[in-house]
Amino acid sequence: MSQSSKTYTPTIGIECHVQLSTKTKLFAAVGNDARDARPNTLISHICLGMPGALPVLNAKAVELGARAAFALNTTPAAFSKFDRKHYFYPDLPKGYQITQFEQPIVLGGYVEIESEGVKKKIGITRAHLEEDAGKSTHPAGKDYSLVDLNRAGTPLLEIVSEPDIKSAADAKAYARELYLIVKYAGISDADLYHGNMRFDVNVSVSSDPNVLGTRTESKNLNSFKSVEKAAEYEIKRQIELLEKGEVIIQETRGWDDAKQRTFSQRGKEQAHDYRYMPEPDVPPIILSEEFINEIKSSLPVMPDEWRNRLLSLGLSRSQIDTLLEAEIDNEAVDYLPIIESNLDNPDVAKFIANYFVNIEIPMRHDGSVSDKLDNQARSTIYIAIDRLIQDNKLSSTNAKALLTQLLKDGLSPTDIEEYAAEQGYIQESDSNEIEKIVEAVIAEFPDAANDVKNGEMKAIGFLTGQVMKKSLGKANPGMAQELIRKKLA
Ligand code: MN
C-alpha cells in the first residue's frame, strides 16, 4: 500500500435504539417481554396492523422518554408528536412505523465520556419514541422466510448523537456510558444479549478537517466491543480506499462478528423515500410543567454524580467504573449505597470500596458469594473488619481471609471479633506475648541475630518471619519487627 503524508480525521455519530422497560407495547395492551415467548404469541390486532385497529399510547413509555431527557442532561419537550414512516417489509404489517420525526420528545443534551484520561462531551441531537418492527428469519436452504411479530410495537427510544466522536475507542466509551445511563435512569433493562440496545455507527474520514467525508452506517451492533471494532474497521477501510484514489460509497453496512469486518448491505441508490406524514391516530404528547418537574425529581443518582461522590474518596476511575457496573449486574446488592452510607467517615468508605473492588466483586464473578447475606449484614461485616484492622487486631492478609470466608459461607456472626478469634484470625498485639517469642527466636538463630547487630537489615526480615511462624501467623508483624530491633540495637 502506498503511504501518503495525509492524516485523516475520523468523524463518528451513533444512533442507539433502546428498548424501554414497559410492561406492554407502545400502542397496545400486549406483553412486551418476548425473550421466552413462542413466536407470534404476544400480538393483537394493533400489532398486526388490522384495518381499523386504533393505537393507544402507553403512558409509561412517555414517562420513560421524558426521564431520558434528564438522564441526557436536558429537559423533555413540552410538546412532541408522532409521524408515520413508510417502508415495505414483511415484519412491518402496517406498511409504516409510528415514530417521532418532526418533533421528538428529546432535543439536545449530552453524554460525558472519559477516554484515555480525557473528559469529552458528546452532544445528543435528539431522542425519539418509536415502535419496533417484528423479526424475520430466513432459514438456510429454504425457499421461505419466517416472521415473528412478538417484537412488533415494542417501545423504543432512538438516541441520536452528534458527530462528536473522533475515534473507535471513544465510540466504545460512548456506547458503554449510554448503557450505564439508561440502566441507572431505569429507562431500559439494557439487556444487550437480547438486543435491548442496538447501535448504528456512522463513520466518515477526511483529510481536510473542515470538510466531512462520505459516511457509511454500520447497523445493528449489539455490544460495546463490536461498536469499537466496526468503527475501527470502517476508519481503516475508508482510509485505504482514499489512499488508492477511490471514492467512498455512502451505504448501509452490516457487521460480521465472526470475520470481524463490515460488509455492504445496500447502497444509497436503493435508499428509501419514507414518505413521512403526521400520525392521525395518536394525539400529540403534551407534558405539563408539573409532570416534567415530577420526572426531574424522580431521577435517581446518575453514574456521573456517583463518580463525583466516589472520586472524593480518592478511588481511581477504573475502580469506580467497576463499582458502577457491579451495582447494576446484581440488583439485590447495594455496593454504592453502602459506600455512601459511610461517606461521613471517608476512611471507612474507602476501605469498603477497595474491598468491594478487590475481593467481593471478583468473588461474585466466580459465583462464590453466598446469597444469605443481605446488605445490612454485609455492611456490618465490612465496618467491623475495618475496625479490627485499625485496632491492629487483624493483619490485612487475615482480614481478606476472614472476609472471604464470611462471604462464601454467608455468615454474619453477632460478634465478629469473637468469631475471628475463634477462627484464629486475630493477631497477637500483646507485646509481652510477642516479646517472649522474639526472645526464643533470637536464641534459636544467633547467626541471624549477629547479622542484625552488624547492620545487615535483611536478617531482620528473616527473624520477623520466624516470629510469625512461631506465633502461627498471629503476631503483629510490625510489632515483632520493632521488638527485634530494640533487642538487637
Ligand atoms: Mn429508528
Side-chain angles (χ1 to χ4, degrees):
M1 198 188 88
S2 67
Q3 288 294 319
S4 84
S5 58
K6 279 182 190 163
T7 52
Y8 293 88
T9 310
T11 299
I12 303 170
I14 294 180
E15 292 158 28
C16 178
H17 287 90
V18 178
Q19 183 175 325
L20 298 174
S21 55
T22 57
K23 286 204 178 69
T24 55
K25 295 194 178 183
L26 187 53
F27 300 111
V30 174
N32 203 24
D33 189 354
R35 279 176 290 187
D36 299 316
R38 290 182 50 231
N40 296 310
T41 53
L42 298 172
I43 54 174
S44 75
H45 57 297
I46 296 173
C47 315
L48 294 174
M50 303 288 268
L54 283 177
V56 178
L57 181 58
N58 183 335
K60 184 69 184 176
V62 173
E63 183 194 317
L64 296 178
R67 190 187 270 242
F70 290 110
L72 296 168
N73 301 301
T74 184
T75 308
F79 181 94
S80 64
K81 67 177 202 50
F82 287 93
D83 303 279
R84 291 183 177 181
K85 175 182 180 178
H86 295 82
Y87 66 93
F88 292 96
Y89 204 74
D91 61 21
L92 186 75
K94 295 195 298 295
Y96 60 84
Q97 175 195 33
I98 305 180
T99 180
Q100 295 188 307
F101 178 59
E102 279 190 327
Q103 286 175 281
I105 192 161
V106 180
L107 272 172
Y110 65 87
V111 168
E112 192 168 84
I113 61 164
E114 188 176 303
S115 179
E116 285 143 351
V118 185
K119 282 192 172 185
K120 299 164 191 173
K121 270 185 190 169
I122 308 301
I124 298 297
T125 313
R126 57 184 280 153
H128 55 264
L129 292 166
E130 64 184 24
E131 56 177 350
D132 205 350
K135 192 173 80 183
S136 303
T137 34
H138 313 287
K142 299 287 198 287
D143 61 354
Y144 58 83
S145 292
L146 296 166
V147 177
D148 175 10
L149 295 175
N150 280 349
R151 223 175 59 190
T154 286
L156 303 175
L157 185 75
E158 180 175 342
I159 303 171
V160 182
S161 88
E162 289 285 293
D164 288 345
I165 301 163
K166 297 292 174 202
S167 70
D170 287 7
K172 183 186 183 189
Y174 171 78
R176 185 184 287 276
E177 191 63 20
L178 208 53
Y179 163 78
L180 288 178
I181 287 171
V182 300
K183 193 86 187 176
Y184 272 79
I187 294 166
S188 173
D189 295 337
D191 179 345
L192 271 70
Y193 179 77
H194 285 102
N196 284 184
M197 286 183 91
R198 306 193 294 269
F199 300 93
D200 302 339
V201 182
N202 291 279
V203 177
S204 68
V205 301
S206 173
S207 58
D208 178 348
N210 299 313
V211 179
L212 282 178
T214 304
R215 68 160 195 242
T216 61
E217 179 175 30
S218 301
K219 281 185 101 78
N220 275 324
L221 305 164
N222 63 0
S223 71
F224 311 135
K225 184 114 197 146
S226 60
V227 166
E228 180 182 36
K229 290 292 164 193
E232 205 172 273
Y233 184 89
E234 268 308 291
I235 292 168
K236 187 163 172 274
R237 186 184 71 87
Q238 293 181 16
I239 291 175
E240 281 174 9
L241 282 175
L242 294 176
E243 286 284 281
K244 282 191 279 187
E246 293 180 28
V247 289
I248 312 293
I249 301 162
Q250 182 176 340
E251 62 183 349
T252 300
R253 297 178 72 85
W255 172 248
D256 184 331
D257 208 46
K259 292 182 182 148
Q260 293 283 297
R261 61 180 192 84
T262 64
F263 59 91
S264 179
Q265 280 184 326
R266 63 168 193 255
K268 195 190 179 185
E269 60 280 4
Q270 293 155 269
H272 295 282
D273 170 8
Y274 291 120
R275 297 182 294 115
Y276 283 102
M277 58 170 270
E279 166 59 57
D281 291 337
V282 182
I285 300 171
I286 298 168
L287 304 180
S288 69
E289 210 180 305
E290 194 190 349
F291 177 83
I292 291 176
N293 288 335
E294 220 171 87
I295 295 291
K296 186 180 186 181
S297 57
S298 74
L299 196 74
V301 180
M302 295 298 289
D304 234 26
E305 173 61 21
W306 277 120
R307 284 198 190 93
N308 290 335
R309 293 186 192 180
L310 298 179
L311 277 171
S312 69
L313 292 177
L315 299 176
S316 73
R317 171 88 187 196
S318 86
Q319 285 178 310
I320 293 171
D321 282 342
T322 300
L323 288 165
L324 283 170
E325 284 189 28
E327 182 74 28
I328 46 179
D329 278 350
N330 186 336
E331 271 162 27
V333 181
D334 289 341
Y335 297 107
L336 300 174
I338 290 176
I339 296 169
E340 189 179 38
S341 65
N342 287 287
L343 277 182
D344 52 347
N345 195 339
D347 289 339
V348 178
K350 187 175 183 183
F351 166 82
I352 296 174
N354 273 318
Y355 270 51
F356 278 158
V357 171
N358 297 325
I359 299 174
E360 182 168 341
I361 293 171
M363 278 179 74
R364 272 192 196 275
H365 287 158
D366 304 340
S368 58
V369 179
S370 160
D371 290 334
K372 281 187 248 165
L373 294 176
D374 62 15
N375 287 305
Q376 182 58 52
R378 286 163 55 252
S379 181
T380 308
I381 288 171
Y382 277 94
I383 294 168
I385 289 179
D386 179 56
R387 187 74 261 152
L388 292 173
I389 296 173
Q390 296 311 316
D391 291 348
N392 259 323
K393 290 176 180 168
L394 265 184
S395 66
S396 66
T397 312
N398 281 357
K400 282 175 194 165
L402 170 63
L403 178 64
T404 304
Q405 190 189 333
L406 293 174
L407 290 174
K408 210 166 159 182
D409 298 342
L411 294 173
S412 50
T414 35
D415 187 332
I416 289 169
E417 179 170 359
E418 194 182 286
Y419 177 82
E422 279 166 20
Q423 299 289 312
Y425 290 121
I426 296 293
Q427 67 186 0
E428 188 58 71
S429 290
D430 177 340
S431 62
N432 290 330
E433 282 299 314
I434 298 176
E435 198 169 355
K436 275 183 215 158
I437 301 172
V438 166
E439 279 165 1
V441 164
I442 289 173
E444 198 177 328
F445 299 98
D447 290 351
N450 264 330
D451 287 347
V452 175
K453 279 184 191 157
N454 295 333
E456 266 193 56
M457 290 304 135
K458 250 165 81 181
I460 284 197
F462 170 76
L463 291 175
T464 308
Q466 292 304 318
V467 172
M468 295 309 292
K469 202 170 157 191
K470 242 189 172 42
S471 72
L472 303 174
K474 288 185 203 168
N476 177 336
M479 209 176 244
Q481 198 177 95
E482 197 50 46
L483 285 167
I484 294 166
R485 266 180 216 280
K486 256 189 213 158
K487 294 264 171 210
L488 300 175

